[in-house]
Amino acid sequence: MTETILVIAAHPDDEVLGVGATVARHAAAGDAVHTIIVAEGATSRDAQRNNAARVDELIALRQSAAEAAAILGTSQPILLGLPDNRLDSCDLLDIVKKIEAVVDRVKPSVIYTHHAGDLNVDHQIVHEAVLVACRPLPASPIRAIYAFETVSATEWSPQQTFLPNHFVDAGPTWQKKMAALSIYESEMRPFPHARSLEAVEALAKWRGSSVGLNKAEAFQIIRQLQC
Ligand SMILES: [Zn+2]
């Protein structure tokens, strides 16, 4: 039975960092994979949000998101374009309504989103908005919600509350994840920065070795429902 998957990420690149190998496996298995990217990226690098000053970067990020999705085999991402690293300036309800509209349309069975304990404020807010938009109402199609980890946000939290209890073998689609990440060259940093290709691979090896695999993506189960 094929599934409908919905990834809800804060920024362009989070969807690949957190769940790229797993969604590529879903896509290869024939599942429909949709992605929402809530914030626009890049504009938090200025003291004031100034989209005009970052227009070339914003266009490039949108293009990167589209190319990464093509590599992973997923649908073209839905870009909400909200302010980067300033989601706390938006009403939570407005974010919830935008996510709800997509959930109502695509009727996902599985959701992947950010971990609540990430250092990044946008990640925290997206997590909260997703839980509200995906609340377990009668007849909801959603049977599972998983939180992914995002290098340079999850492990930077002083609380270290990400406790993985669901693992996906990333070996079969690792090269697709690496190829998709290389599209986001502007967002990646040289090692030993946590958001480097080397660190992403080291994490995958560590998560894999935790469960007897060469590489894995790790998740924390938020909710699972078996009917
Ligand atoms: Zn992010």
Side-chain angles (χ1 to χ4, degrees), residues 131-212:
L131 288 199
V132 177
C134 300
R135 57 204 180 279
L137 298 171
S140 168
I142 299 164
R143 62 164 189 78
I145 302 177
Y146 301 107
F148 55 75
E149 57 184 336
T150 316
V151 289
S152 76
T154 307
E155 81 286 356
W156 282 357
S157 164
Q159 284 81 29
Q160 297 291 325
T161 54
F162 182 78
L163 299 171
N165 52 7
H166 177 70
F167 297 82
V168 174
D169 186 354
T173 50
W174 187 253
Q175 293 311 319
K176 287 188 177 180
K177 175 164 175 154
M178 286 292 103
L181 270 186
S182 66
I183 296 291
Y184 279 119
E185 199 179 0
S186 66
E187 305 306 296
M188 300 306 289
R189 299 290 178 266
F191 186 79
H193 195 290
R195 205 170 56 254
S196 60
L197 293 176
E198 292 90 337
V200 170
E201 182 155 357
L203 178 64
K205 286 182 173 176
W206 171 242
R207 293 310 188 194
S209 66
S210 305
V211 290

